Amino acid sequence: MEIFRFGILYCTLVFLAGFLLGTIRVLFIVPVIGVRSAELLEIPIMLAVLVIAARFIVSKTDASTTPLAHLAIGVLALCVLLLFEFTLVPWLQGMTIHEAIASKDPVSGSAYAISLVLFMLMPWLLALRQQRSRR
C-alpha cells in the first residue's frame, strides 16, 4: 500500500509542477523562442523538480523500504504520468492521442523521453545512494 501511495504522490508532485511550467511555457515562452527551444529550456527545470520530489518521497518512506520498492514507486508513477500525458493533456489541447504523439519535436521529444526514464529511476537511485551512505 505504501508503494501505491508514494507512487501516486510522486507522480502528482511532478505532474503539477510540469502542468504549471507547461502552461507558462506555452503562453509566454513559446511565442518568443519557439516550441523546441522552450521545451528544451523547461527540461532542466523539470529534472530539478523530479529530483526534489524523489528526495521528498525517499525521505518519507520507512527506513526499511528497499531500493526495489522505490523502483516500484517510480514505475507506478511513470505509468500514472503516461496515463495523464496520453489522456488529459491531449484532451486539454484539443488533440487526439495520435496527434499529440505525432506533434512531438524529434529533438525535444527525445530529451523528454530520457527525462521520463530518469523520472522513473530517480526514487530508486536516491534510495540506493541513501542505503550506501548508511553503511
Side-chain angles (χ1 to χ4, degrees):
M1 190 60 161
E2 186 176 78
I3 290 171
F4 181 78
R5 186 170 56 117
F6 284 116
I8 296 299
L9 178 60
Y10 179 49
C11 176
T12 301
L13 292 171
V14 174
F15 181 79
L16 289 175
F19 190 81
L20 176 66
L21 288 172
T23 302
I24 293 167
R25 173 179 41 85
V26 169
L27 294 177
F28 302 108
I29 300 172
V30 168
V32 177
I33 63 174
V35 173
R36 177 184 288 178
S37 297
E39 288 177 350
L40 291 173
L41 184 67
E42 181 182 6
I43 288 174
I45 299 166
M46 283 305 300
L47 289 175
V49 165
L50 71 89
V51 168
I52 292 166
R55 278 186 185 162
F56 176 75
I57 293 301
V58 170
S59 75
K60 294 299 178 191
T61 55
D62 188 272
S64 65
T65 305
T66 66
L68 191 57
H70 286 96
L71 180 59
I73 289 169
V75 170
L76 174 65
L78 177 64
C79 291
V80 174
L81 184 71
L82 290 176
L83 181 67
F84 285 157
E85 282 288 324
F86 292 122
T87 57
L88 180 64
V89 174
W91 177 75
L92 287 173
Q93 294 175 339
M95 298 180 178
T96 66
I97 295 169
H98 179 70
E99 291 170 336
I101 293 169
S103 71
K104 289 285 184 195
D105 177 79
V107 174
S108 59
S110 298
Y112 176 68
I114 292 167
S115 71
L116 288 176
V117 172
L118 290 172
F119 167 70
M120 178 186 70
L121 295 176
M122 195 56 62
W124 175 69
L125 293 170
L126 293 176
L128 281 176
R129 182 176 172 213
Q130 185 180 58
Q131 186 180 50
R132 286 189 184 124
S133 69
R134 287 183 187 155
R135 290 181 189 172

